[in-house]
Amino acid sequence: MDDDAPVSREGRLLVAAPTLVDPHFHRAVVLMLEHTAEGALGLILNRPLDLVARDTLPEDLGGLLPEVDHLHEGGPVQPDAIIVLAEFDDPGEAAGIAFGQVGIVDPGGELVGLDERTGAARAFGGYAGWSGGQLEEEIADGAWIDAPATVGDVSSEDTGHLWADVLARKGGTWRIIARMPVDPTVN
């Protein structure tokens, strides 16, 4: 094993620490899809946009999503790129697995009937990306809090509370941090 290789966060959540000041990631919950020595890629789970996802996607892809589900901002990189995550009955049908049976829908794959072979699904515009070593430095600086992911995190209807919910689920001191107001000076 290479001692210089990062600890992979693939399939994990990275929760923005309260001290993370980057406005793109304030109280963000990021599902990590890829994490190697060359870099990392993830999707912000708790940034719904004012666009109904089905209105922005081709019909066969949009049909996987609930009628009223909004497109989510997956991150600041390539905001026009769309990534759809779904819970697959057969993970072998996914273009890549994030964790468990949650994976990436292949827009060029067989989409006919896929709605019957998948569970919860959500569409994201853009993604979060880090160059090699960048994420490791941010984690070492305390900018991100590692947490396990659940299917419910990916498809949560209450994305406004996802940051606090994930931290509270960690227990201990994290429960106290989860209850912190957005602006502690008004407390």
Side-chain angles (χ1 to χ4, degrees), residues 1-28:
M1 181 177 188
D2 182 2
D3 289 337
D4 295 330
V7 173
S8 178
R9 306 284 190 207
E10 284 181 30
R12 305 279 301 171
L13 296 178
L14 292 182
V15 181
T19 55
L20 184 60
V21 295
D22 184 332
H24 290 109
F25 297 107
H26 178 72
R27 290 200 171 201

Side-chain angles (χ1 to χ4, degrees), residues 58-62 64 84 88 92-96 104-115 117-118:
E59 187 177 331
D60 52 356
L61 199 53
L64 298 174
V84 177
F88 287 82
E93 288 192 82
I104 300 167
V105 174
D106 180 358
E110 180 56 51
L111 299 177
V112 175
L114 188 58
D115 59 332
R117 301 185 311 274
T118 56

Side-chain angles (χ1 to χ4, degrees), residues 46-56 67-74 123 125 159:
N46 58 333
R47 292 283 193 309
L49 299 170
D50 287 333
L51 302 167
V52 174
R54 282 188 174 203
D55 294 345
T56 64
E67 286 187 36
V68 296
D69 200 31
H70 288 256
L71 182 69
H72 282 63
E73 177 191 345
T159 58

Side-chain angles (χ1 to χ4, degrees), residues 29 153 156 158-171 178:
V29 177
D153 299 329
S156 174
D158 189 10
T159 58
H161 291 104
L162 187 60
W163 183 86
D165 291 347
V166 172
L167 286 178
R169 195 169 64 215
K170 286 181 65 75

